Amino acid sequence: MTTLDSIITDSTRLYIGNAVPETYYKDTYVKNIKPVHAVALPVTHQEVQALVQFAIDKDLKILARGAGTGVAGAQVPLEGNELIIDVHLMDTITELDEETLTLTVEPGVLVGDIHTYVESKGYFYPPDPASKHSTIGGNVATNAGGLRAVKYGTTRQYVREMTVVLPSGESMTLGSKNIKDSSGYDLKDLFIGSEGTLGITTQIKLKLIPLPKASQSILLAFDTVQEATDATLAILTSGADPSGVELFERQALRYAEQNLGYPLKSQVGAAYLLMTLDGNDAADLTVRAELVEQIAKETALESHVLTEEEAAKNWALRDNILLGLTVFTEFELLDEVVPINKFAELIESTKAMQEKHGLNVLNFGHAGDGNVHTLLMKDDLSEEEWTRRRAALLKDLYQKVADLGGLPSAEHGIGIVKKEYMESMTDDINLKYMRAIKKVFDPDNRLNHGKVF
Amino acid sequence: MTTLDSIITDSTRLYIGNAVPETYYKDTYVKNIKPVHAVALPVTHQEVQALVQFAIDKDLKILARGAGTGVAGAQVPLEGNELIIDVHLMDTITELDEETLTLTVEPGVLVGDIHTYVESKGYFYPPDPASKHSTIGGNVATNAGGLRAVKYGTTRQYVREMTVVLPSGESMTLGSKNIKDSSGYDLKDLFIGSEGTLGITTQIKLKLIPLPKASQSILLAFDTVQEATDATLAILTSGADPSGVELFERQALRYAEQNLGYPLKSQVGAAYLLMTLDGNDAADLTVRAELVEQIAKETALESHVLTEEEAAKNWALRDNILLGLTVFTEFELLDEVVPINKFAELIESTKAMQEKHGLNVLNFGHAGDGNVHTLLMKDDLSEEEWTRRRAALLKDLYQKVADLGGLPSAEHGIGIVKKEYMESMTDDINLKYMRAIKKVFDPDNRLNHGKVF
């Protein structure tokens, strides 16, 4: 029988049994120490295929992994004895095809490295998840969204083609460099967002667009979240075409201000919108910025068209919300999504839940696309109280999300931590067919078993 | 046992056996007279569901149909004895939700009526197939593309949610009003473009965007198709951001000129690009039009920034290519697609095929997205010669498309007429899993059986 070290002959790319480093038992927030069979770090499609075949022969479950920056537990072992296939060494940017605006990458390339590379060539890869250290393979597996989805869409819109190794050991290429396609079922979109349960991606061709030549940031301050989201809706229908509309509460920002040591440009009000307009023509940006200010005049307490330096400093505060919080307390980060006109109602509803359950709650998120990041904060609660109150609050919160027509995950995925909410918020018939499709590709439930549903 | 007239109690909405009008045996180009069991025209989701249940009970195959404007035979009966469910009376625009920019429609609403309605309210539904008389249900079934895909994408990008009746008689809602989604498998995109083989759509929620306030058309003339497509690539990477880039050969246009009785604004050269820029600011359009003219200066023989009246007249010529041709000859219309940098090579290759097979070939298409509409013309060939030469030419043509990394259908679908090419141009493993997914939803192969693959 084939052995692992005959597939991965370089011993620095193979950990067996007790030699597996602890990092493989956790992602950003979830830890589950269930000793695995081995961790292999392939560098080619063929090695991935051989590893899958090995797992089939030995009847091992398989877990694919990238940078380990996930936040939903999709990358941690569930039962133990899995073979973890860590693709983060497959990190080559293979080809920039300027004639079709396509970038071919291996799955382990970091999304931040893709941004840097393509922008240096005058191109733009719009999906912009907060973690620039996440891999593109992971971004595809969760259909990562981020800040610019309101104008540019999510990862799904930028995957032209992907090559996968199936749980059967077969290879399949999904999609193509063709822009239009009405030639059979869309298998590609089925794999995008499937959190590693259908196949292991070994190559991805991404769609690029020309890099916008100019941008303009604007900060608006409001008395209430409701006023901020009303303004968001007005801005979205105005034609101002923002590429990012971030909403955050004053409360959520104060940790970032303390951590970075400087204040937000506006110190009035309880809710802020920080937005970017991008384009190719400075004069056009000015017109659109005026349109935003015109709308803001109705209800905003303050409106600031930011200089480049101010934009950098204020966006750094926004980006520092989570990191700032880490210094002060343990927390749980959610990524629920509701239709954009329910954004304020969802955020407001968390105030009552905070009171009811005795647990501090903060909110920030992507107002332009309805994706709220609710933060539950441990503060000085005991481990036991924290677990109990959090579970009770989450039940209420996801019920509210469901009532508003929302979904448990906008961009982080379901993994382990949102499974029960996913199951309760999804129609039985949809779950039935999702399970049937899983069975088509993975009848032995070998690949990332027990994740998602 | 339930009878059809107990489900459809209004006799004007039911044709049984010999009473079925001939129109139900054909689409735009394909005719297949195989007497069907009956044609029922439901007006509610519940009626569709009851009809599917009736077909299950009687073990009838089912064929869903809309306006009958298809061009690939997906809507014609294959074996006879089918129950045709014609949804074109389900033609209500149910709700415009201005807070989420969502339009709820029934499947029988014509895409032209959607354009008219939403534009009157200041919104925009970008997908723009040439046939404004096609239904939105049909547009979703084929992932219709059209003129504006280069900037705005195809129908797929504008379906937020759809409700379907499955071949089992069950109902399922796919997608939601949420903009982001990382909550389980993407079943919605699987159904989009599946040509009525997985379910019958009874309601669709479409994404709208704000209506651009201004547009500017430009006509460029070139000596060769290669020069025209080289210019297209340069324009696409320039940031000029055209919302349509149509390429046509002089030869293809002369029928339209004869038919409409006036000439194209440019009479030099052999290949033309007609494009539109849209936006909200006239000054910005001027800047972008100058960018296009700057690029065109390199190789174009003529470049015309068109007045509104000129734009209308020149676009009418483009839109009249097919209709103009109908007056002069029978023809077959294709919709193959290749990566955009192979567009010219594909068109040029048809010249040699024309010589080799003794069959006149014309080309026009969407240069911005690689979608060529090749026209094979019968002229005065005998029926027998036309069939023989056409089959031989198509074999060569689709081989060339495959060699260039293309697909048999960009936007019309596979239906019956492209099945053999689809099968030869698709990897066996992809076909295997497409068939397995068909079996998951339709184990009895009841719904639009024998179409696509």
Side-chain angles (χ1 to χ4, degrees):
Chain A
M1 194 182 239
T2 315
T3 55
L4 278 175
D5 56 8
S6 71
I7 299 168
I8 306 290
T9 52
D10 174 352
S11 65
T12 66
R13 297 194 281 113
L14 186 64
Y15 304 104
I16 295 182
N18 291 334
V20 171
E22 194 184 311
T23 184
Y24 286 101
Y25 298 107
K26 55 189 186 186
D27 67 8
T28 306
Y29 303 120
V30 184
K31 189 168 177 177
N32 197 26
I33 302 195
K34 300 276 184 177
V36 299
H37 183 83
V39 174
L41 292 91
V43 291
T44 65
H45 176 89
Q46 288 67 28
E47 283 183 353
V48 174
Q49 221 172 356
L51 289 166
V52 170
Q53 193 55 55
F54 173 83
I56 294 170
D57 294 342
K58 297 270 277 185
D59 198 19
L60 298 174
K61 305 287 187 188
I62 300 170
L63 193 54
R65 187 181 169 99
T69 60
V71 294
Q75 293 184 292
V76 303
L78 196 66
E79 292 166 6
N81 207 33
E82 288 95 342
L83 172 64
I84 295 184
I85 300 181
D86 174 351
V87 299
H88 92 266
L89 296 180
M90 298 177 72
D91 62 353
T92 305
I93 295 178
T94 313
E95 189 200 3
L96 169 64
D97 177 353
E98 300 191 75
E99 293 194 342
T100 60
L101 301 190
T102 311
L103 185 76
T104 304
V105 295
E106 290 186 325
V109 178
L110 303 186
V111 70
D113 290 343
I114 291 176
H115 288 149
T116 306
Y117 177 79
V118 303
E119 288 171 24
S120 77
K121 307 280 185 180
Y123 299 105
F124 191 37
Y125 173 70
D128 186 29
S131 169
K132 312 304 179 226
H133 297 287
S134 57
T135 63
I136 187 66
N139 277 237
V140 171
T142 56
N143 185 24
L147 306 181
R148 294 192 284 238
V150 57
K151 176 168 180 176
Y152 293 107
T154 60
T155 302
R156 185 179 298 287
Q157 272 82 55
Y158 295 87
V159 179
R160 286 241 187 272
E161 183 186 301
M162 52 201 280
T163 300
V164 296
V165 176
L166 298 175
S168 60
E170 297 164 303
S171 298
M172 181 160 70
T173 297
L174 310 159
S176 67
K177 277 191 181 177
N178 298 290
I179 294 176
K180 284 177 172 170
D181 182 355
S182 186
S183 304
Y185 297 164
D186 176 10
L187 300 178
K188 182 187 71 180
D189 279 295
L190 189 61
F191 276 66
I192 296 170
S194 66
E195 301 187 44
T197 61
L198 296 179
I200 303 174
T201 307
T202 59
Q203 189 184 69
I204 304 160
K205 291 187 195 293
L206 297 168
K207 166 188 171 177
L208 304 178
I209 61 176
L211 184 65
K213 297 183 180 72
S215 73
Q216 174 65 64
S217 290
I218 304 171
L219 177 68
L220 307 176
F222 298 87
D223 259 333
T224 65
V225 169
Q226 183 66 55
E227 284 173 349
T229 62
D230 287 350
T232 301
L233 297 181
I235 290 162
L236 290 179
T237 52
S238 71
D241 203 13
S243 52
V245 185
E246 294 301 297
L247 182 147
F248 42 85
E249 298 180 281
R250 165 125 296 281
Q251 280 292 86
L253 200 75
R254 92 190 139 87
Y255 298 95
E257 287 180 330
Q258 281 182 48
N259 198 43
L260 291 186
Y262 62 85
L264 190 75
K265 172 88 178 174
S266 174
Q267 290 293 315
V268 298
Y272 301 91
L273 291 180
L274 182 57
M275 72 184 68
T276 302
L277 311 177
D278 65 10
N280 289 315
D281 180 39
D284 173 50
L285 283 187
T286 305
V287 171
R288 286 156 58 201
E290 279 163 10
L291 197 57
V292 171
E293 290 210 283
Q294 193 69 26
I295 292 165
K297 227 171 48 185
E298 303 279 319
T299 52
L301 301 171
E302 285 183 5
S303 152
H304 300 280
V305 175
L306 304 177
T307 65
E308 220 167 298
E309 193 195 345
E310 288 171 338
K313 290 188 76 171
N314 284 275
W315 276 107
L317 285 168
R318 155 65 185 79
D319 292 344
N320 201 258
I321 289 177
L322 278 185
L323 201 63
L325 206 57
T326 310
V327 179
F328 299 93
T329 178
E330 197 179 312
F331 59 86
E332 178 163 351
L333 169 69
L334 312 181
D335 71 319
E336 72 274 28
V337 58
V338 289
I340 49 173
N341 61 336
K342 306 296 183 190
F343 194 82
E345 186 177 343
L346 178 63
I347 291 178
E348 293 300 348
S349 77
T350 64
K351 310 297 176 202
M353 294 179 203
Q354 174 171 285
E355 293 308 308
K356 177 177 167 192
H357 298 287
L359 195 65
N360 279 322
V361 177
L362 294 178
N363 294 286
F364 65 103
H366 316 300
D369 56 44
N371 173 195
V372 186
H373 290 302
T374 300
L375 286 163
L376 313 186
M377 291 157 58
K378 181 167 182 277
D379 296 328
D380 45 17
L381 292 175
S382 69
E383 201 61 46
E384 194 187 346
E385 275 300 295
W386 165 235
T387 304
R388 195 181 60 75
R389 295 187 191 185
R390 193 169 43 147
L393 191 148
L394 285 175
K395 202 169 163 226
D396 282 1
L397 180 69
Y398 283 117
Q399 184 57 53
K400 182 70 184 178
V401 172
D403 293 346
L404 297 175
L407 298 169
S409 175
E411 53 184 16
H412 295 166
I414 300 298
I416 297 175
V417 301
K418 277 165 265 180
K419 259 178 75 169
E420 74 172 276
Y421 308 110
M422 160 87 183
E423 295 194 356
S424 70
M425 291 168 73
T426 308
D427 289 347
D428 285 346
I429 186 160
N430 296 60
L431 286 172
K432 176 175 99 172
Y433 284 106
M434 286 183 197
R435 289 197 175 101
I437 285 171
K438 166 73 171 172
K439 203 162 183 175
V440 162
F441 289 97
D442 190 10
D444 300 322
N445 195 18
R446 190 178 308 287
L447 200 54
N448 217 359
H449 68 296
K451 307 297 169 64
V452 187
F453 47 69
Chain B
M1 195 182 240
T2 315
T3 56
L4 278 175
D5 55 10
S6 72
I7 299 169
I8 306 290
T9 53
D10 174 353
S11 66
T12 65
R13 297 196 281 115
L14 188 62
Y15 305 103
I16 294 181
N18 290 336
V20 171
E22 194 185 312
T23 183
Y24 286 102
Y25 298 108
K26 55 189 187 186
D27 68 7
T28 306
Y29 303 121
V30 183
K31 190 169 177 174
N32 196 26
I33 301 194
K34 300 277 183 177
V36 298
H37 182 81
V39 174
L41 292 89
V43 291
T44 65
H45 176 89
Q46 288 69 25
E47 284 184 353
V48 173
Q49 219 172 357
L51 289 166
V52 170
Q53 192 55 56
F54 173 85
I56 294 169
D57 294 342
K58 298 269 277 183
D59 198 19
L60 299 173
K61 304 288 187 188
I62 300 171
L63 193 55
R65 185 179 170 98
T69 59
V71 295
Q75 294 185 290
V76 303
L78 196 67
E79 290 166 6
N81 207 34
E82 288 94 343
L83 172 64
I84 296 185
I85 300 180
D86 174 351
V87 298
H88 92 267
L89 297 180
M90 298 178 71
D91 61 353
T92 305
I93 295 179
T94 312
E95 189 199 3
L96 170 63
D97 177 352
E98 300 190 75
E99 293 194 340
T100 60
L101 301 191
T102 310
L103 185 76
T104 304
V105 295
E106 290 185 324
V109 178
L110 304 185
V111 70
D113 290 344
I114 291 176
H115 288 150
T116 306
Y117 176 79
V118 304
E119 287 171 25
S120 77
K121 308 282 186 181
Y123 299 105
F124 191 37
Y125 174 70
D128 186 28
S131 170
K132 311 305 178 221
H133 298 286
S134 56
T135 64
I136 187 67
N139 277 236
V140 171
T142 56
N143 185 23
L147 306 181
R148 295 192 283 239
V150 56
K151 176 168 179 175
Y152 292 108
T154 62
T155 303
R156 184 179 300 288
Q157 272 84 55
Y158 294 88
V159 179
R160 287 240 185 270
E161 182 187 301
M162 52 200 283
T163 300
V164 296
V165 176
L166 299 175
S168 61
E170 298 164 302
S171 298
M172 182 160 69
T173 297
L174 311 160
S176 68
K177 277 191 179 176
N178 298 292
I179 295 176
K180 285 177 172 171
D181 182 356
S182 185
S183 304
Y185 297 165
D186 176 9
L187 300 178
K188 182 187 72 181
D189 278 295
L190 189 61
F191 276 65
I192 297 170
S194 66
E195 300 187 46
T197 61
L198 296 179
I200 303 176
T201 307
T202 59
Q203 191 185 69
I204 304 162
K205 292 189 195 291
L206 297 169
K207 166 187 172 177
L208 304 178
I209 61 175
L211 184 65
K213 297 182 180 73
S215 73
Q216 174 65 63
S217 290
I218 304 170
L219 177 69
L220 307 175
F222 297 87
D223 259 333
T224 64
V225 169
Q226 183 66 56
E227 283 173 350
T229 62
D230 286 349
T232 300
L233 297 181
I235 289 163
L236 290 180
T237 51
S238 72
D241 202 16
S243 52
V245 185
E246 295 300 296
L247 183 147
F248 42 85
E249 298 180 282
R250 164 124 297 278
Q251 281 291 88
L253 200 74
R254 91 192 140 86
Y255 298 94
E257 287 181 329
Q258 281 182 51
N259 197 43
L260 291 185
Y262 61 84
L264 190 76
K265 173 87 179 177
S266 174
Q267 291 292 315
V268 299
Y272 300 92
L273 290 180
L274 182 57
M275 72 184 70
T276 302
L277 310 178
D278 65 12
N280 288 315
D281 180 40
D284 173 50
L285 283 186
T286 305
V287 171
R288 286 155 57 200
E290 278 163 11
L291 198 57
V292 171
E293 289 209 282
Q294 194 66 27
I295 291 164
K297 229 173 45 187
E298 303 279 319
T299 51
L301 302 170
E302 285 184 4
S303 150
H304 301 280
V305 175
L306 303 178
T307 66
E308 220 167 296
E309 191 194 348
E310 287 172 338
K313 290 187 76 169
N314 284 274
W315 276 108
L317 285 168
R318 156 64 184 80
D319 291 344
N320 202 259
I321 289 176
L322 278 186
L323 200 64
L325 205 59
T326 310
V327 178
F328 299 94
T329 178
E330 198 180 310
F331 59 85
E332 178 163 350
L333 169 68
L334 312 181
D335 71 317
E336 71 274 28
V337 57
V338 289
I340 50 173
N341 61 335
K342 306 296 183 189
F343 195 83
E345 185 176 344
L346 178 62
I347 291 179
E348 293 300 347
S349 77
T350 65
K351 311 296 178 201
M353 295 178 201
Q354 173 171 284
E355 293 308 309
K356 177 178 167 192
H357 298 287
L359 195 64
N360 278 322
V361 178
L362 293 178
N363 293 287
F364 67 102
H366 315 299
D369 56 45
N371 173 197
V372 186
H373 290 304
T374 300
L375 287 162
L376 313 186
M377 292 157 59
K378 179 166 184 279
D379 296 327
D380 46 15
L381 291 176
S382 69
E383 202 60 46
E384 193 187 346
E385 274 299 296
W386 165 233
T387 304
R388 195 180 61 74
R389 293 188 193 184
R390 195 169 41 146
L393 190 147
L394 284 175
K395 201 171 163 222
D396 282 2
L397 180 68
Y398 284 116
Q399 183 58 54
K400 182 70 184 179
V401 172
D403 292 345
L404 296 175
L407 298 169
S409 175
E411 55 184 15
H412 295 166
I414 299 299
I416 297 174
V417 302
K418 278 164 264 178
K419 260 177 74 169
E420 74 174 275
Y421 308 110
M422 160 86 184
E423 295 193 357
S424 70
M425 290 167 75
T426 308
D427 289 346
D428 286 343
I429 186 161
N430 295 60
L431 286 173
K432 176 175 98 173
Y433 283 106
M434 287 183 198
R435 289 195 174 102
I437 284 171
K438 165 74 170 170
K439 205 162 184 179
V440 162
F441 289 96
D442 190 10
D444 300 322
N445 195 19
R446 191 177 308 287
L447 200 54
N448 217 0
H449 70 295
K451 308 296 169 61
V452 186
F453 46 71

